[in-house]
mmCIF file of all heavy atoms in Angstrom:
data_model
loop_
_atom_site.group_PDB
_atom_site.id
_atom_site.type_symbol
_atom_site.label_atom_id
_atom_site.label_comp_id
_atom_site.label_asym_id
_atom_site.label_seq_id
_atom_site.Cartn_x
_atom_site.Cartn_y
_atom_site.Cartn_z
ATOM 1 N N LYS A 415 3.233 32.677 7.907
ATOM 2 C CA LYS A 415 4.319 33.450 8.499
ATOM 3 C C LYS A 415 3.819 34.322 9.644
ATOM 4 O O LYS A 415 4.508 34.481 10.650
ATOM 5 C CB LYS A 415 4.972 34.347 7.435
ATOM 6 C CG LYS A 415 5.808 33.638 6.422
ATOM 7 C CD LYS A 415 6.379 34.680 5.457
ATOM 8 C CE LYS A 415 7.256 34.111 4.385
ATOM 9 N NZ LYS A 415 7.755 35.183 3.491
ATOM 10 N N THR A 416 2.632 34.869 9.493
ATOM 11 C CA THR A 416 2.064 35.731 10.528
ATOM 12 C C THR A 416 1.792 34.938 11.802
ATOM 13 O O THR A 416 2.105 35.391 12.911
ATOM 14 C CB THR A 416 0.772 36.402 10.011
ATOM 15 O OG1 THR A 416 1.106 37.201 8.866
ATOM 16 C CG2 THR A 416 0.137 37.286 11.062
ATOM 17 N N ILE A 417 1.237 33.752 11.672
ATOM 18 C CA ILE A 417 0.980 32.909 12.842
ATOM 19 C C ILE A 417 2.302 32.481 13.478
ATOM 20 O O ILE A 417 2.464 32.539 14.707
ATOM 21 C CB ILE A 417 0.112 31.696 12.465
ATOM 22 C CG1 ILE A 417 -1.290 32.158 12.034
ATOM 23 C CG2 ILE A 417 0.026 30.707 13.626
ATOM 24 C CD1 ILE A 417 -2.145 31.079 11.385
ATOM 25 N N LEU A 418 3.261 32.065 12.660
ATOM 26 C CA LEU A 418 4.573 31.685 13.183
ATOM 27 C C LEU A 418 5.234 32.836 13.942
ATOM 28 O O LEU A 418 5.798 32.641 15.024
ATOM 29 C CB LEU A 418 5.487 31.223 12.041
ATOM 30 C CG LEU A 418 5.200 29.852 11.450
ATOM 31 C CD1 LEU A 418 5.933 29.668 10.127
ATOM 32 C CD2 LEU A 418 5.592 28.761 12.440
ATOM 33 N N LYS A 419 5.144 34.032 13.391
ATOM 34 C CA LYS A 419 5.759 35.198 14.039
ATOM 35 C C LYS A 419 5.046 35.521 15.350
ATOM 36 O O LYS A 419 5.692 35.904 16.330
ATOM 37 C CB LYS A 419 5.736 36.402 13.086
ATOM 38 C CG LYS A 419 6.657 37.512 13.509
ATOM 39 C CD LYS A 419 8.107 37.090 13.421
ATOM 40 C CE LYS A 419 9.049 38.223 13.734
ATOM 41 N NZ LYS A 419 10.440 37.787 13.766
ATOM 42 N N ALA A 420 3.727 35.340 15.393
ATOM 43 C CA ALA A 420 2.985 35.573 16.634
ATOM 44 C C ALA A 420 3.423 34.585 17.711
ATOM 45 O O ALA A 420 3.599 34.962 18.882
ATOM 46 C CB ALA A 420 1.483 35.458 16.375
ATOM 47 N N VAL A 421 3.623 33.316 17.339
ATOM 48 C CA VAL A 421 4.101 32.317 18.295
ATOM 49 C C VAL A 421 5.515 32.664 18.754
ATOM 50 O O VAL A 421 5.827 32.614 19.950
ATOM 51 C CB VAL A 421 4.046 30.888 17.690
ATOM 52 C CG1 VAL A 421 4.726 29.880 18.606
ATOM 53 C CG2 VAL A 421 2.599 30.486 17.416
ATOM 54 N N GLU A 422 6.365 33.042 17.815
ATOM 55 C CA GLU A 422 7.721 33.455 18.174
ATOM 56 C C GLU A 422 7.687 34.626 19.154
ATOM 57 O O GLU A 422 8.392 34.629 20.170
ATOM 58 C CB GLU A 422 8.515 33.847 16.927
ATOM 59 C CG GLU A 422 9.906 34.363 17.243
ATOM 60 C CD GLU A 422 10.647 34.934 16.048
ATOM 61 O OE1 GLU A 422 10.123 34.920 14.915
ATOM 62 O OE2 GLU A 422 11.784 35.399 16.257
ATOM 63 N N ASN A 423 6.863 35.616 18.861
ATOM 64 C CA ASN A 423 6.767 36.781 19.738
ATOM 65 C C ASN A 423 6.242 36.404 21.119
ATOM 66 O O ASN A 423 6.685 36.951 22.129
ATOM 67 C CB ASN A 423 5.884 37.859 19.107
ATOM 68 C CG ASN A 423 6.556 38.536 17.929
ATOM 69 O OD1 ASN A 423 7.774 38.450 17.754
ATOM 70 N ND2 ASN A 423 5.784 39.212 17.106
ATOM 71 N N ALA A 424 5.306 35.464 21.176
ATOM 72 C CA ALA A 424 4.791 35.007 22.469
ATOM 73 C C ALA A 424 5.911 34.385 23.295
ATOM 74 O O ALA A 424 6.069 34.697 24.483
ATOM 75 C CB ALA A 424 3.655 34.002 22.265
ATOM 76 N N LEU A 425 6.694 33.517 22.671
ATOM 77 C CA LEU A 425 7.741 32.810 23.402
ATOM 78 C C LEU A 425 8.964 33.674 23.678
ATOM 79 O O LEU A 425 9.728 33.384 24.588
ATOM 80 C CB LEU A 425 8.144 31.544 22.641
ATOM 81 C CG LEU A 425 7.038 30.498 22.507
ATOM 82 C CD1 LEU A 425 7.495 29.340 21.620
ATOM 83 C CD2 LEU A 425 6.586 29.995 23.870
ATOM 84 N N THR A 426 9.140 34.718 22.904
ATOM 85 C CA THR A 426 10.298 35.597 23.083
ATOM 86 C C THR A 426 9.984 36.801 23.960
ATOM 87 O O THR A 426 10.746 37.138 24.872
ATOM 88 C CB THR A 426 10.813 36.101 21.709
ATOM 89 O OG1 THR A 426 11.084 34.974 20.889
ATOM 90 C CG2 THR A 426 12.067 36.932 21.866
ATOM 91 N N TYR A 427 8.839 37.457 23.702
ATOM 92 C CA TYR A 427 8.529 38.705 24.380
ATOM 93 C C TYR A 427 7.228 38.666 25.179
ATOM 94 O O TYR A 427 6.912 39.603 25.883
ATOM 95 C CB TYR A 427 8.370 39.844 23.361
ATOM 96 C CG TYR A 427 9.500 39.936 22.368
ATOM 97 C CD1 TYR A 427 9.311 39.604 21.030
ATOM 98 C CD2 TYR A 427 10.759 40.347 22.759
ATOM 99 C CE1 TYR A 427 10.332 39.691 20.103
ATOM 100 C CE2 TYR A 427 11.790 40.421 21.845
ATOM 101 C CZ TYR A 427 11.559 40.092 20.517
ATOM 102 O OH TYR A 427 12.593 40.177 19.616
ATOM 103 N N GLY A 428 6.447 37.604 25.001
ATOM 104 C CA GLY A 428 5.094 37.564 25.548
ATOM 105 C C GLY A 428 5.047 37.634 27.053
ATOM 106 O O GLY A 428 5.883 37.083 27.752
ATOM 107 N N GLY A 429 4.030 38.333 27.511
ATOM 108 C CA GLY A 429 3.811 38.396 28.949
ATOM 109 C C GLY A 429 3.195 37.099 29.434
ATOM 110 O O GLY A 429 2.384 36.498 28.766
ATOM 111 N N ASP A 430 3.634 36.661 30.589
ATOM 112 C CA ASP A 430 3.102 35.443 31.177
ATOM 113 C C ASP A 430 1.668 35.716 31.615
ATOM 114 O O ASP A 430 1.377 36.709 32.259
ATOM 115 C CB ASP A 430 3.960 35.051 32.380
ATOM 116 C CG ASP A 430 3.716 33.645 32.853
ATOM 117 O OD1 ASP A 430 2.636 33.113 32.579
ATOM 118 O OD2 ASP A 430 4.617 33.094 33.492
#
Side-chain angles (χ1 to χ4, degrees):
K415 288 180 179 180
T416 299
I417 294 169
L418 286 166
K419 196 66 175 175
V421 172
E422 177 188 358
N423 288 343
L425 296 174
T426 305
Y427 310 110
D430 194 337

